[in-house]
Amino acid sequence: MTIIICPFLFLQIYPDPDAEKVIMGSTVLCIHHSEGCKWTDELRKLKGHLNACKYDTIPCTNNCAAMIPRLLMEDHLAFTCPKRRTKCEFCNKEFTGEMLEGHAGTCLHEPIYCESKCGLKLQRRFMTNHRLNECTKRLLPCRYCHKEFVYDTLQVHLGKCVRFPLQCPNRCEPAKIPRDELENHLKDLCPAVVLPCPFKDSGCNFMGPRFAVDKHSEEKTKQHLLLMCGLISRQQEQIATLKSTIQNLSVNHSGSLFWKITDCAAKMAEAKVKEGFELCSEPFYTSPHGYKLMATLFLNGNGAGEGTHLSTYIKIIPGEYDALLLWPFSHSVSFTLYDQSSCSEKACTIVESFVPDPSWKNFQRPSREPEALGFGFPRFLSHESFRKRSYIKDDTLFIRVKVDPSKIIAV
């Protein structure tokens, strides 16, 4: 049986020479057995074995003060000993191990990647010049607008830079013009730009450089004045035509007038102090090519109803298509005064109608705007009845005048 025993402890307990002999002859394992040493022999031979055991530690031969197993000494001396002599793999200079640690990361010959992430790998000694002068990701100021851009985008910026100088398209004398000033230069400053005469819209066809246009304007004042007069005349004709068109579009051609009369209190007060005070509606037509009519209202009455009633009438006035219509006018006309009561069941709306007398002159074709009354109802509604109902609400009343469509004669 192989055992490991401390002989010194045993000899102290049993200081018998025979016992010492027995102990020293016992078989033991190397003290570095757990580290991998396979040696086993008599105890007396252990000391001699340890002097050669590759697992036993000895001081570093470079005197770095480290205790290194004989097995690892070669690697220690080659790679980890701070007193070893070694060369930098990049610059090939020789250093001690501890000096190499300080040299690592600073060697000027070591290849490193550009910090600007352009993808290039250079020796550290060339990197400063690369970042300043060669790197495609370095920042450079635009020489025109002074904003900073990445180098590989600077050319794209120059194609849009507002301060980039451009040659005037007209090749005028001034030096190159910043891009953001070129439009204003061409519009207001360039002496070589070809311009039309300022009176082009009036009919002047002259075109030339700016200086020639200025001279032309000074010399042709009279001609330009005549052109302007002609333009104004044509514009006035166009305006008149447009006004007529707009007026025709706004004219009522339905044969029915819904008349809203506001400010009734003030108008009634005026009617009581002003004799013959008459309210007139907008003209309306019985159809797109029919008779032209106009309603009138006397708030304080007229004729038989003066001072006591509302009087309402219809007038026939000259229209555009009178020459094509049948005369006399013979279509029934109705007047409706609306009761604006909030309760529709209790409302008392007034409706009156008449059929024109063909023998009466006011139903003949009108030759001019008539000054006489039309035809209607001088006693349409008494003031007493008018005040009892809600014919006026919010100082407003509503009257409807309608020509019977079954008797409208139109072309």
Side-chain angles (χ1 to χ4, degrees), residues 171-191:
R171 304 290 180 181
C172 64
E173 290 298 325
K176 291 186 177 181
I177 303 156
R179 182 179 275 115
D180 61 347
E181 296 178 10
L182 184 60
E183 182 178 355
N184 183 63
H185 169 78
L186 293 173
K187 181 180 178 182
D188 300 321
L189 303 174
C190 181

Side-chain angles (χ1 to χ4, degrees), residues 64-210:
C64 73
M67 296 297 290
I68 308 297
R70 288 188 180 88
L71 177 66
L72 302 177
M73 184 62 72
E74 184 177 351
D75 286 345
H76 170 71
L77 294 175
F79 302 110
T80 61
C81 180
K83 299 295 184 180
R84 75 188 184 279
R85 302 299 297 180
T86 185
K87 290 183 179 181
C88 172
E89 63 177 310
F90 305 114
C91 65
N92 210 32
K93 291 181 181 180
E94 190 175 88
F95 298 90
T96 62
E98 56 189 356
M99 291 182 65
L100 182 62
E101 291 180 4
H103 175 71
T106 62
C107 179
L108 296 179
H109 291 77
E110 179 184 3
I112 57 175
Y113 282 104
C114 174
E115 295 177 355
S116 298
K117 299 182 179 180
C118 70
L120 196 64
K121 193 173 186 180
L122 292 173
Q123 291 184 9
R124 185 176 278 109
R125 57 179 172 157
F126 300 133
M127 191 55 69
T128 299
N129 178 67
H130 167 73
R131 287 200 303 266
L132 294 176
N133 303 308
E134 299 170 352
C135 180
T136 58
K137 300 298 181 182
R138 68 188 185 276
L139 290 177
L140 288 178
C142 171
R143 59 183 295 190
Y144 305 111
C145 69
H146 307 297
K147 294 180 181 178
E148 283 194 336
F149 295 88
V150 176
Y151 174 79
D152 58 5
T153 66
L154 186 58
Q155 292 302 316
V156 176
H157 163 72
L158 292 178
K160 302 177 181 178
C161 179
V162 295
R163 301 304 297 168
F164 186 83
L166 298 173
Q167 178 66 50
C168 173
N170 299 313
R171 304 290 180 181
C172 64
E173 290 298 325
K176 291 186 177 181
I177 303 156
R179 182 179 275 115
D180 61 347
E181 296 178 10
L182 184 60
E183 182 178 355
N184 183 63
H185 169 78
L186 293 173
K187 181 180 178 182
D188 300 321
L189 303 174
C190 181
V193 66
V194 176
L195 298 172
C197 174
F199 295 90
K200 174 185 176 182
D201 292 338
S202 302
C204 183
N205 296 321
F206 180 84
M207 292 188 69
R210 190 183 302 276

Side-chain angles (χ1 to χ4, degrees), residues 4 16 41 59 110 122 124 147 178 259 277 292 296 326 349 351 358 361:
I4 299 176
D16 187 340
D41 208 333
E110 179 184 3
L122 292 173
R124 185 176 278 109
K147 294 180 181 178
W259 189 10
F277 182 73
K292 187 175 183 181
T296 66
L326 296 177
T349 296
V351 181
K361 65 177 182 178

Side-chain angles (χ1 to χ4, degrees), residues 70 75 102 115 120 178 219 258 278 379 387-388 404:
R70 288 188 180 88
D75 286 345
E115 295 177 355
L120 196 64
E219 294 176 349
F258 201 81
E278 180 182 22
R379 303 179 68 182
R387 286 189 292 267
K388 290 180 179 180
D404 188 344

Side-chain angles (χ1 to χ4, degrees), residues 140-306:
L140 288 178
C142 171
R143 59 183 295 190
Y144 305 111
C145 69
H146 307 297
K147 294 180 181 178
E148 283 194 336
F149 295 88
V150 176
Y151 174 79
D152 58 5
T153 66
L154 186 58
Q155 292 302 316
V156 176
H157 163 72
L158 292 178
K160 302 177 181 178
C161 179
V162 295
R163 301 304 297 168
F164 186 83
L166 298 173
Q167 178 66 50
C168 173
N170 299 313
R171 304 290 180 181
C172 64
E173 290 298 325
K176 291 186 177 181
I177 303 156
R179 182 179 275 115
D180 61 347
E181 296 178 10
L182 184 60
E183 182 178 355
N184 183 63
H185 169 78
L186 293 173
K187 181 180 178 182
D188 300 321
L189 303 174
C190 181
V193 66
V194 176
L195 298 172
C197 174
F199 295 90
K200 174 185 176 182
D201 292 338
S202 302
C204 183
N205 296 321
F206 180 84
M207 292 188 69
R210 190 183 302 276
F211 69 89
V213 171
D214 293 340
K215 183 179 179 181
H216 165 77
S217 297
E218 293 176 1
E219 294 176 349
K220 301 296 182 180
T221 303
K222 184 176 180 180
Q223 292 86 332
H224 290 159
L225 181 59
L226 293 174
L227 289 173
M228 284 297 296
C229 290
L231 176 62
I232 291 172
S233 178
R234 294 192 297 273
Q235 288 178 340
Q236 287 178 335
E237 292 177 1
Q238 293 171 354
I239 291 171
T241 301
L242 290 173
K243 283 183 176 180
S244 177
T245 302
I246 293 172
Q247 185 175 5
N248 289 336
L249 290 174
S250 63
V251 171
N252 181 349
H253 296 92
S254 67
S256 180
L257 170 69
F258 201 81
W259 189 10
K260 178 182 180 180
I261 301 172
T262 59
D263 302 322
C264 291
K267 291 174 180 175
M268 177 65 83
E270 186 176 359
K272 289 181 178 180
V273 298
K274 188 175 181 180
E275 185 178 355
F277 182 73
E278 180 182 22
L279 300 178
C280 297
S281 74
E282 290 291 329
F284 68 102
Y285 287 81
T286 58
S287 69
H289 304 93
Y291 300 94
K292 187 175 183 181
L293 308 173
M294 181 174 67
T296 66
L297 176 68
F298 291 84
L299 288 173
N300 196 40
N302 174 264
E306 185 173 359

